[in-house]
Amino acid sequence: MEIQVLRNVFKRNDALADVTRGMLGEAGVIGFNIISSAGAGKTSLLEAILPMLGRSMRAAVLEGDIATTHDAERIAKVGARVLQLATEGGCHLSAALVHEAVKRLDLDRLDAVFVENVGNLVCPASFDIGEHVRIAALSFAEGDDKPAKYPLLFKTADLVVLTKSDLAEMCDFNPARAERFIRTVNPDVPVMLVSVRTGHGLDKLIDWVVRRVEATIPVGTAV
Amino acid sequence: MEIQVLRNVFKRNDALADVTRGMLGEAGVIGFNIISSAGAGKTSLLEAILPMLGRSMRAAVLEGDIATTHDAERIAKVGARVLQLATEGGCHLSAALVHEAVKRLDLDRLDAVFVENVGNLVCPASFDIGEHVRIAALSFAEGDDKPAKYPLLFKTADLVVLTKSDLAEMCDFNPARAERFIRTVNPDVPVMLVSVRTGHGLDKLIDWVVRRVEATIPVGTAV
């Protein structure tokens, strides 16, 4: 009985996610879903890359949070379009909430939408929100064994960013060990080391994002 | 309809949690529920304090994980009794799983049970597992604003441990700001700074735990 209800929830979520993905795709907009634990540095990553991405694309950000508008305020400060999505206690963003937000965006004036999910290494990985690209972030402070212990996110990611790489010595984080665990569940996913603090790896990350955006060919574009 | 089902789930969970709490209490055993994000250092805390607690009490550990037995292996190495609870994808420990585990413990030979919940700052906070004491952990690497953004855990905690305090300078974590956010939702909760790496604050944490265990007067004890 409970399982039935849960299945329906997933089915309805996934159907709405497909609608959102279609809306974005038709407008030639690529949707990114950024997932990590609380405090892995999702907002800091966006703060760092948005001004640099701004030269080559037009981006909007949807900030998912249980409470407060702290993150949306931070993103607004770097001059990006941002909407706050409040889950009000919910542990993940749903396709419905993201769909409502995407409807409010002027998609014709955008190339990319970055969705920052609720800080949680577990639940957001189970919910399709209509993204084209899923980015998993894991900070050096969290430990190199986390991809083994929380495999679903890393299995479903299109890119894994290992953040706060400047903490390497302080945290005994072995990137090779982390990568080995990641490759067990997702053999070909790119894995990048990044530190917003030192700037290490940001250029590579930006290149990757730009290439993904440029690879999106809007439906109806003359060739 | 869905809400109804969800309510029943919570109701059944809480009833079973009460049974577990009663079983523990009758045997004079105190149950601790340790909750934090993945990688905040729950296992490291236990590794550090269990050998020292071993002098004054008999403790067992229940290790909640989605996958792997890494943490149980680490705890076994310090000589503590440990059971691995596998949620197999589940984002939190349920009262049912903990209840089954507690039934397998020889409670007459124990003073305390430490349950390490699944690494998740959100969902475990909603589920009573039959603990007497809830400990929230938050690492300096996660950011001092997390108690405002993920309030439920901090609101329901009996103790908040700010871990990895040795990362203070590297992470721009302001403990006073974190404490201010914690006190907004839980005015009187004790807040402790700890670093397993340097040993800072461990003695204070151990004192607190020992006092809580000593304050548990077993039912039926002659006075």
Side-chain angles (χ1 to χ4, degrees), chain B residues 177-221:
Chain B
R177 188 165 180 248
E179 195 169 329
R180 210 156 50 235
F181 285 132
I182 293 166
R183 301 234 171 274
T184 307
V185 291
N186 195 348
D188 300 319
V189 70
V191 177
M192 289 182 192
L193 273 62
V194 167
S195 165
V196 169
R197 205 178 164 88
T198 66
H200 173 75
L202 282 175
D203 48 349
K204 212 174 147 193
L205 173 60
I206 287 164
D207 277 354
W208 191 89
V209 169
V210 169
R211 275 205 312 278
R212 288 306 295 246
V213 174
E214 288 174 349
T216 307
I217 299 163
V219 174
T221 301

Side-chain angles (χ1 to χ4, degrees), chain A residues 1-2 5 9 12 37-40 42-43 65-68 70-71 74 89-91 116-123 139 141-143 145-146 148-151 164 166-167 169-172 177 181 197, chain B residues 1-2 5 9 12 37-40 42-43 65-68 70-71 74 89-91 116-123 139 141-143 145-146 148-151 164 166-167 169-172 177 181 197:
Chain A
M1 186 60 171
E2 283 155 33
V5 172
V9 168
R12 207 176 345 150
S37 272
K42 296 182 293 302
T43 315
D65 275 301
I66 290 175
T68 79
H70 294 185
D71 290 352
R74 286 172 59 186
C91 56
E116 182 180 336
N117 220 307
V118 174
N120 181 338
L121 208 50
V122 188
C123 312
S139 97
E142 292 175 74
D145 61 338
K146 295 306 170 292
K149 295 180 64 193
Y150 304 88
K164 309 193 188 186
D166 53 296
L167 296 180
E169 281 178 38
M170 304 286 286
C171 295
D172 310 313
R177 187 165 182 247
F181 285 131
R197 203 177 166 89
Chain B
M1 187 63 172
E2 283 154 35
V5 172
V9 169
R12 208 176 345 150
S37 273
K42 295 182 291 304
T43 316
D65 275 302
I66 290 175
T68 81
H70 292 187
D71 289 353
R74 288 172 58 186
C91 56
E116 182 179 336
N117 220 307
V118 173
N120 182 336
L121 209 51
V122 187
C123 312
S139 96
E142 293 174 72
D145 61 338
K146 295 307 170 290
K149 295 180 63 193
Y150 303 88
K164 311 194 186 185
D166 53 296
L167 297 180
E169 280 178 38
M170 303 286 285
C171 295
D172 310 314
R177 188 165 180 248
F181 285 132
R197 205 178 164 88

Side-chain angles (χ1 to χ4, degrees), chain B:
Chain B
M1 187 63 172
E2 283 154 35
I3 291 166
Q4 188 57 44
V5 172
L6 201 64
R7 271 202 199 117
N8 287 347
V9 169
F10 275 122
K11 207 168 153 186
R12 208 176 345 150
N13 184 82
D14 290 356
L16 200 50
D18 282 334
V19 174
T20 305
R21 194 160 23 244
M23 279 170 59
L24 291 168
E26 271 187 24
V29 177
I30 182 165
F32 293 87
N33 181 5
I34 310 175
I35 305 178
S36 77
S37 273
K42 295 182 291 304
T43 316
S44 298
L45 268 186
L46 285 171
E47 283 176 317
I49 68 171
L50 284 168
M52 293 156 103
L53 288 174
R55 291 174 211 148
S56 50
M57 70 178 72
R58 301 159 301 172
V61 177
L62 305 180
E63 276 295 338
D65 275 302
I66 290 175
T68 81
T69 55
H70 292 187
D71 289 353
E73 289 160 28
R74 288 172 58 186
I75 295 299
K77 273 190 194 149
V78 298
R81 268 159 283 203
V82 61
L83 280 178
Q84 180 76 51
L85 311 188
T87 68
E88 287 167 355
C91 56
H92 64 274
L93 285 179
S94 65
L97 196 53
V98 173
H99 185 72
E100 287 308 311
V102 166
K103 282 202 291 187
R104 292 180 197 199
L105 296 174
D106 185 357
L107 296 181
D108 290 338
R109 292 168 176 274
L110 289 174
D111 302 303
V113 174
F114 294 91
V115 184
E116 182 179 336
N117 220 307
V118 173
N120 182 336
L121 209 51
V122 187
C123 312
S126 298
F127 290 84
D128 186 355
I129 56 168
E131 74 267 26
H132 298 98
V133 176
R134 180 174 285 199
I135 299 178
L138 174 73
S139 96
F140 268 51
E142 293 174 72
D144 51 26
D145 61 338
K146 295 307 170 290
K149 295 180 63 193
Y150 303 88
L152 184 60
L153 172 60
F154 299 93
K155 189 175 174 176
T156 59
D158 299 295
L159 171 70
V160 178
V161 182
L162 303 177
T163 61
K164 311 194 186 185
S165 65
D166 53 296
L167 297 180
E169 280 178 38
M170 303 286 285
C171 295
D172 310 314
F173 184 100
N174 181 341
R177 188 165 180 248
E179 195 169 329
R180 210 156 50 235
F181 285 132
I182 293 166
R183 301 234 171 274
T184 307
V185 291
N186 195 348
D188 300 319
V189 70
V191 177
M192 289 182 192
L193 273 62
V194 167
S195 165
V196 169
R197 205 178 164 88
T198 66
H200 173 75
L202 282 175
D203 48 349
K204 212 174 147 193
L205 173 60
I206 287 164
D207 277 354
W208 191 89
V209 169
V210 169
R211 275 205 312 278
R212 288 306 295 246
V213 174
E214 288 174 349
T216 307
I217 299 163
V219 174
T221 301
V223 280

Side-chain angles (χ1 to χ4, degrees), chain A residues 137-201:
Chain A
L138 174 72
S139 97
F140 269 49
E142 292 175 74
D144 50 29
D145 61 338
K146 295 306 170 292
K149 295 180 64 193
Y150 304 88
L152 184 61
L153 172 61
F154 299 93
K155 190 176 174 174
T156 59
D158 299 296
L159 171 69
V160 178
V161 183
L162 302 177
T163 60
K164 309 193 188 186
S165 65
D166 53 296
L167 296 180
E169 281 178 38
M170 304 286 286
C171 295
D172 310 313
F173 185 99
N174 181 340
R177 187 165 182 247
E179 195 168 329
R180 210 155 50 234
F181 285 131
I182 294 165
R183 301 238 169 270
T184 307
V185 292
N186 195 347
D188 301 318
V189 70
V191 178
M192 291 182 190
L193 274 61
V194 167
S195 165
V196 169
R197 203 177 166 89
T198 65
H200 173 75

